[in-house]
Amino acid sequence: MSQAPITPITLQGAAGKLAAWVAQPPADVETRGTALLVPGFTGSKEDFTDLVPMLAAAGYRTYAYDQRGQWESEGPDEVSGYTMADFVGDLQGVVDQVSPDAPLHLVGHSFGGYVSRVAVVERPARFRSFTLLASGPSSVEEINFPPPALVAQAVEAGGQEIIWQQLNAAMTMADQQPTAERLEFLHRRIMATKKANIIGILTCMTEPPLKDPSALRDSGVPLLVAYGDTNDLWAPAVHENFARELGAKTAVYRGSGHVPNEDVPAQVCADLVNFWKEQA
């Protein structure tokens, strides 16, 4: 599959400018709709470097953005500016900016899936479909992650470098060997992400994203639960059970971990496109 070029753009959030990307379908490809990709904790639009152009080449105008205070996006310096309502409000504003006249396909990776599911429940008519990508039920239970409140305390004391050390350790445990260039980028991104963003997200993670997950099932928006079966933050059975509770379709990436969007982007693209075509 040919790929479409990525164009950097700026969107507007409630707390400042949001750095974003867009890739348009090639002139000889029918435009089938709009897709929006939302990154997770410590992430950014760059988590979708391969996926964005692939989806555009398949006929979907595709956007990805850094959430407030992440990487190249502006955000407040106070933790109080990073509540779930703040993240959701930005997402709803982005939806209205990139697809004001039609519902779009939403993909939320990890914490981006937390934010996205709240947005879907709030305004289901704005979404043609919603995909939870490596985004389990919550960070409160059934997750392989230290208690978020304790991590937040460590970050408060030691700053972004604490999260970098944890990420390095996690990559080592998962036997991942990024290139020196990749490691340099990951470190630079963590250090550029506002400390308040990191603590704010960790604070959000101390509670389930939805008090009643059935609200997502009952939204009427078609749902896909997509996940890797190796070294994800949630065991495959947790994702499977969550999908069953939601009445969602599933896509499983054998041998992939928490970032199938980076590990196997072509497979993720194919599954998303097939799922989206069902909603046409």
Side-chain angles (χ1 to χ4, degrees), residues 171-186:
M171 287 187 289
T172 299
M173 289 182 63
D175 197 25
Q176 297 174 350
Q177 300 295 328
T179 64
E181 181 180 11
R182 174 69 174 165
L183 280 173
E184 190 276 333
F185 166 73
L186 293 174

Side-chain angles (χ1 to χ4, degrees), residues 47-48 50-51 54 107-110 131-135 176 225-233 239 251-269 271-272:
D47 295 342
F48 309 111
D50 295 321
L51 196 54
M54 287 180 181
V107 179
H109 176 246
S110 197
T131 298
L132 289 151
L133 182 60
S135 185
Q176 297 174 350
V225 171
Y227 58 94
D229 69 348
T230 306
N231 294 320
D232 191 9
L233 294 179
H239 285 296
V252 184
Y253 304 105
R254 307 298 179 190
S256 178
H258 189 55
V259 286
N261 41 299
E262 297 182 40
D263 295 340
V264 288
Q267 293 180 42
V268 176
C269 176
D271 287 333
L272 289 175

Side-chain angles (χ1 to χ4, degrees), residues 16 22 37 44 60 78 90-92 99 104 112 116 141 151 156 170 176 201 206 223 227 229 238 241 258 263 269 274:
V22 62
L37 315 181
S44 68
Y60 296 88
E78 300 78 22
D90 283 343
L91 172 54
Q92 300 286 27
S99 188
L104 53 72
S116 296
E141 55 187 18
V151 180
E156 181 65 48
Q176 297 174 350
I201 290 179
T206 60
L223 305 174
Y227 58 94
D229 69 348
V238 174
N241 290 337
H258 189 55
D263 295 340
C269 176
N274 288 334

Side-chain angles (χ1 to χ4, degrees), residues 32-35 95 99-106 123-129:
R32 300 176 178 274
T34 300
V95 169
S99 188
D101 301 321
L104 53 72
H105 297 289
L106 184 63
R123 295 199 304 171
R126 298 295 286 118
F127 304 98
R128 289 176 65 181
S129 75

